[in-house]
Amino acid sequence: MKNFLLILLAAVVFSSCSMGHVYGLFSDYNTVNKSHPELLKGTDTIPVCTLKPGVEPKVYIINASQLKTCLSNDENALVYIWLPLCRSQYCYPLPVIQNACKKRGINLFVVARYYHADMMDADYQLEHPIFGIDTKHYKANLVSKYTKRFLKDLTNDGLDDYKYFDHFMYFKKGELECTFRSLDSINQIQPLVASSSLHTARLPIR
């Protein structure tokens, strides 16, 4: 029996190694920082709200408080939690999201859930640079752990567990209005107009 368990354990380890690297489980920050040190930028002394994409792609490392400052000054903002290698029906090319936001007068902020050099080292024609979550700030390297802590801070603990699967989060003046998975839902949003006294109904948080 003991020999059987050892053989089984060895088989599991071998199969895990043979599959290669699994993205999305850990941050891969150190890997990207080692291979592309010029790609990742700290923001301790940088006002992140006014950052614009440069000639060369840069990913700016932030915590939720920094992004909340930007959202609080913005009448209509959408935060997209980007999974660089995701291919599901709810993962969209960044230029498609940017174009949809531009048509609706919504300010888009892209936050990468994990780090991937090849996907981040590209020009997506965004109005703001891509942000990466500061894993040191959240004292975790496991994606699920630091992402949950980041989103709890960003939404003032306003998310139920199942809503962590919603990639889109719509804010008005820093207040979370709704979350959704399908980009088509953006057409239901009625952006706040500064000169208008009308108040739009809140969408279901989903």
Side-chain angles (χ1 to χ4, degrees):
M1 183 66 177
K2 184 177 180 181
N3 289 337
F4 173 76
L5 291 175
L6 290 174
I7 293 172
L8 181 61
L9 179 60
V12 171
V13 171
F14 176 77
S15 62
S16 300
C17 294
S18 63
M19 287 190 298
H21 186 77
V22 178
Y23 289 97
L25 183 60
F26 298 102
S27 73
D28 284 317
Y29 172 86
N30 290 333
T31 301
V32 174
N33 195 38
K34 184 176 180 179
S35 64
H36 293 68
E38 74 289 345
L39 180 62
L40 307 181
K41 300 286 290 184
T43 56
D44 291 341
T45 59
I46 299 177
V48 300
C49 302
T50 57
L51 288 172
K52 296 296 180 183
V55 176
E56 295 183 358
K58 300 290 181 187
V59 176
Y60 291 88
I61 314 305
I62 64 166
N63 58 57
S65 296
Q66 292 171 284
L67 183 53
K68 282 171 72 173
T69 299
C70 306
L71 298 176
S72 65
N73 296 320
D74 207 311
E75 293 174 347
N76 305 288
L78 188 69
V79 175
Y80 178 61
I81 305 301
W82 180 46
L83 285 69
L85 294 177
C86 179
R87 295 293 181 268
S88 85
Q89 61 178 322
Y90 297 118
C91 296
Y92 302 88
L94 297 184
V96 172
I97 302 172
Q98 181 64 80
N99 288 337
C101 287
K102 194 170 184 179
K103 289 178 182 178
R104 301 288 296 165
I106 298 171
N107 208 2
L108 173 66
F109 295 94
V110 176
V111 179
R113 189 163 182 168
Y114 54 86
Y115 295 84
H116 189 281
D118 291 341
M119 295 298 293
M120 289 176 160
D121 194 13
D123 182 7
Y124 293 103
Q125 300 296 306
L126 300 175
E127 294 183 359
H128 295 284
I130 294 171
F131 293 134
I133 299 175
D134 188 345
T135 58
K136 290 183 180 179
H137 178 84
Y138 292 102
K139 297 179 177 155
N141 193 43
L142 195 65
V143 170
S144 60
K145 185 173 288 187
Y146 67 70
T147 301
K148 191 167 186 177
R149 291 173 181 174
F150 176 86
L151 294 179
K152 276 184 175 290
D153 285 352
L154 186 66
T155 63
N156 297 320
D157 206 10
L159 291 180
D160 295 329
D161 284 344
Y162 75 89
K163 297 190 185 79
Y164 286 98
F165 295 100
D166 292 348
H167 297 175
F168 295 97
M169 299 181 180
Y170 177 61
F171 292 82
K172 287 185 178 182
K173 300 219 169 179
E175 295 296 324
L176 178 67
E177 291 288 311
C178 62
T179 70
F180 50 94
R181 299 178 192 177
S182 172
L183 184 59
D184 292 338
S185 298
I186 198 172
N187 295 319
Q188 301 176 42
I189 292 175
Q190 298 180 34
L192 179 67
V193 179
S195 60
S196 173
S197 59
L198 298 177
H199 297 277
T200 58
R202 291 172 65 94
L203 293 174
I205 302 292
R206 186 71 184 92

